[in-house]
Amino acid sequence: MRLPTTPATTLWRELRDEVRAHYRAGRIILAVDGRDGAGKTVFADGLADVFAEDGSAVFRASIDSFHRPRDERWARGRTSPVGFYEDSYDYATFRRVLIDPFREGGQTGATTGFQLAAFDVERDAAVESTWVTAPKDAVLIVDGIFLHRPALRGLWHWSVWLDVPIDVAYERMARRDGTDPDFLAPANTRYREGQELYLRDADPRDAASVIVDNTDFAHPRRVFRDYC
């Protein structure tokens, strides 16, 4: 089913066509990154929908489904920005049950199963293993924070960084999660400073294939790096 034509779907189709210009077949993995509140899930879902329009087999995952247990995430303290950046996610499991088998199936043609989720952060418990398979030609789109950290960059065939002003992001998070909309509030220190650590460590705007200004959900706009 084809989505209605809107500014958002027009951009998603342009990005899909750009990816397809480089990757006509096989299995490809795309990342949608941005700070909390950037609109990653909606954007990644929309991108998946337009890939499906051309008949692609599309799979969606989020790094949020690969959290580490709470005691590990908070091992450096509940307010630690370093703990937020370094300890939030189980990247070893993410690679072992999703990325590696997804890639392997595309390279060998084997019906290797992969797992789109491994942990339920709300329950603070592992989820029941559900293994799925894909055809030789397939698209996997992963959304989440910190996806351009140096240790993950080699996983993606193509990636996007969603730019959103920090005040807009925190207002969205407040509406979604009931958090304090003031990004300078003490309760937000862990997350704000953890994101700042990431920006310094990874420079995701430079690492991403594409930068999109997602300040207005209905009118996302591609922007270009200024190297002058």
Side-chain angles (χ1 to χ4, degrees):
M1 183 180 70
R2 184 175 175 85
L3 298 175
T5 298
T6 66
T9 59
T10 296
L11 176 62
W12 295 333
R13 290 183 183 113
E14 290 172 356
L15 297 179
R16 174 202 62 195
D17 293 346
E18 181 175 313
V19 173
R20 282 304 188 198
H22 297 280
Y23 302 101
R24 300 302 305 175
R27 291 193 182 177
I28 58 174
I29 308 176
L30 316 182
V32 177
D33 188 10
R35 68 169 69 249
D36 280 315
K40 300 177 295 298
T41 300
V42 171
F43 195 94
D45 285 346
L47 200 58
D49 287 341
V50 298
F51 267 98
E53 287 179 345
D54 70 6
S56 298
V58 187
F59 297 84
R60 279 282 287 114
S62 173
I63 198 65
D64 283 342
S65 296
F66 293 88
H67 268 91
R68 297 172 71 179
R70 187 177 296 122
D71 60 346
E72 296 179 17
R73 300 198 308 273
W74 292 351
R76 302 176 202 250
R78 291 188 61 175
T79 62
S80 170
V82 175
F84 179 52
Y85 180 38
E86 296 292 348
D87 303 331
S88 287
Y89 298 105
D90 184 350
Y91 297 115
T93 296
F94 174 67
R95 297 185 70 146
R96 177 175 55 82
V97 305
L98 175 55
I99 299 298
D100 291 347
F102 183 84
R103 284 182 177 274
E104 179 184 345
Q107 293 165 354
T108 66
T111 55
T112 306
F114 51 91
Q115 191 173 338
L116 294 168
F119 196 83
D120 184 334
V121 70
E122 298 297 328
R123 293 174 47 245
D124 193 40
V127 300
E128 182 178 354
S129 297
T130 301
W131 298 90
V132 298
T133 59
K136 186 174 181 180
D137 299 329
V139 180
L140 171 63
I141 302 178
V142 180
D143 74 83
I145 59 174
F146 306 153
L147 295 185
H148 286 100
R149 63 189 307 145
L152 299 183
R153 288 182 190 175
L155 302 184
W156 323 122
H157 293 89
W158 183 92
S159 64
V160 59
W161 169 257
L162 296 182
D163 252 351
V164 174
I166 190 170
D167 58 333
V168 172
Y170 275 78
E171 288 172 4
R172 290 177 180 171
M173 291 167 60
R175 291 194 298 270
R176 183 189 69 195
D177 304 328
T179 54
D180 193 323
D182 180 2
F183 62 88
L184 293 175
N188 289 327
T189 299
R190 170 181 170 88
Y191 309 104
R192 185 189 69 252
E193 293 187 3
Q195 286 282 354
E196 290 170 357
L197 285 173
Y198 172 55
L199 295 177
R200 291 194 298 271
D201 179 50
D203 193 4
R205 292 184 92 258
D206 187 64
S209 307
V210 170
I211 302 167
V212 171
D213 182 338
N214 204 40
T215 305
D216 182 347
F217 279 139
H219 297 82
R221 179 175 60 90
R222 182 172 183 173
V223 296
F224 294 87
R225 302 173 185 86
D226 183 1
Y227 291 111
C228 298

